[in-house]
Amino acid sequence: MGVLRLQLPTDPRWVNIVEKNIEEILTDHAWCEQKAATNAITIITNNSEHQDLVKDLLALAKEEIDHFEQVHNIIIKRGLKLGRERKDDYVNELYLYMKRSSDGSRVSSLVERLLFSAMIEARSCERFKVLSENIKDEELSVFYRELMESEAGHYTTFITYARKYGVGIDVEKRWREWLAYEESIIANYGKGETIHG
């Protein structure tokens, strides 16, 4: 999938599942944005000595919260309700892989967290593309097209900082391993009305 280098594309028929429960996909999406903002703040908290990273991830966190607000506004406009936060099994599998992969050093922990974040952004970007191209709802098609471009920028930010601060780590090799791992689990998803489900 081009620049994202994802190994397994989402079946466009996933959108048919999504369209049957718009309230669910919007609720799940809103919470994905909130978690993305929280993740960026966590990286800042643990790596505050990197001034450029702090600056860029603050901007990213603000953008994710703005996306949360945009999704919430769509929910309200449509007379729907923001449901409770959803568990994201896909992200949890990636999280466990990240924890297993770190050697415990600060550098390794930072690189793994950045690659974990890049992986989620890459798949979200791909899912938004599939939504924008296949959903019949005109408003959501335009909305997801715009967000797709934003997610691609976030993916690039995380990969760039992994390369910059991954001193002594073969970041390209690790990214290939992340891509292979993601391919091994994503086949189990794409069957639910959630962004990663």
Side-chain angles (χ1 to χ4, degrees):
M1 271 152 284
V3 70
L4 299 175
R5 292 166 59 188
L6 297 172
Q7 306 298 296
L8 191 63
T10 296
D11 186 331
R13 290 175 297 180
W14 164 69
V15 178
N16 300 334
I17 298 167
V18 166
E19 287 178 317
K20 290 175 184 165
N21 195 343
I22 295 296
E23 186 169 25
E24 181 60 29
I25 189 75
L26 290 174
T27 285
D28 181 72
H29 178 193
W31 290 116
C32 285
E33 299 291 356
Q34 178 272 324
K35 288 174 206 168
T38 301
N39 179 60
I41 295 297
T42 298
I43 295 171
I44 290 169
T45 302
N46 294 331
N47 302 279
S48 56
E49 69 275 19
H50 301 306
Q51 194 171 46
D52 53 351
L53 179 142
V54 170
K55 186 170 179 246
D56 286 345
L57 290 195
L58 275 172
L60 188 150
K62 287 177 186 174
E63 197 167 279
E64 299 288 20
I65 285 297
D66 181 57
H67 292 169
F68 180 97
E69 184 178 25
Q70 287 179 50
V71 180
H72 189 238
N73 287 342
I74 291 172
I75 289 169
I76 292 167
K77 179 178 160 191
R78 292 176 176 227
L80 304 174
K81 282 197 169 54
L82 175 65
R84 302 290 294 174
E85 182 181 350
R86 306 300 197 247
K87 181 179 172 191
D88 192 327
D89 292 327
Y90 166 80
V91 170
N92 288 339
E93 285 196 61
L94 293 180
Y95 182 82
L96 291 173
Y97 179 69
M98 172 188 73
K99 294 303 257 184
R100 287 194 306 269
S101 300
S102 175
D103 68 12
S105 70
R106 289 198 75 227
V107 172
S108 175
S109 294
L110 174 58
V111 167
E112 292 304 317
R113 188 74 182 215
L114 291 168
L115 295 182
F116 160 79
S117 305
M119 190 80 261
I120 295 167
E121 296 289 350
R123 183 55 71 181
S124 297
C125 179
E126 189 260 355
R127 287 283 168 98
F128 291 167
K129 182 175 190 293
V130 172
L131 276 169
S132 72
E133 292 174 350
N134 295 282
I135 200 163
K136 294 180 187 74
D137 186 307
E138 183 80 25
E139 179 188 29
L140 292 181
S141 175
V142 171
F143 179 61
Y144 281 111
R145 177 79 196 174
E146 290 169 357
L147 285 195
M148 176 193 79
E149 293 163 7
S150 175
E151 298 297 305
H154 296 172
Y155 155 80
T156 302
T157 297
F158 288 123
I159 286 283
T160 300
Y161 278 113
R163 289 176 180 141
K164 179 171 184 177
Y165 289 118
V167 179
I169 295 172
D170 188 339
V171 174
E172 292 309 309
K173 178 172 178 279
R174 279 301 299 136
W175 183 236
R176 288 193 299 274
E177 290 165 357
W178 267 95
L179 289 164
Y181 178 74
E182 200 266 354
E183 180 186 13
S184 77
I185 66 166
I186 197 63
N188 301 319
Y189 296 94
K191 303 172 183 80
E193 59 276 275
T194 59
I195 296 299
H196 303 122

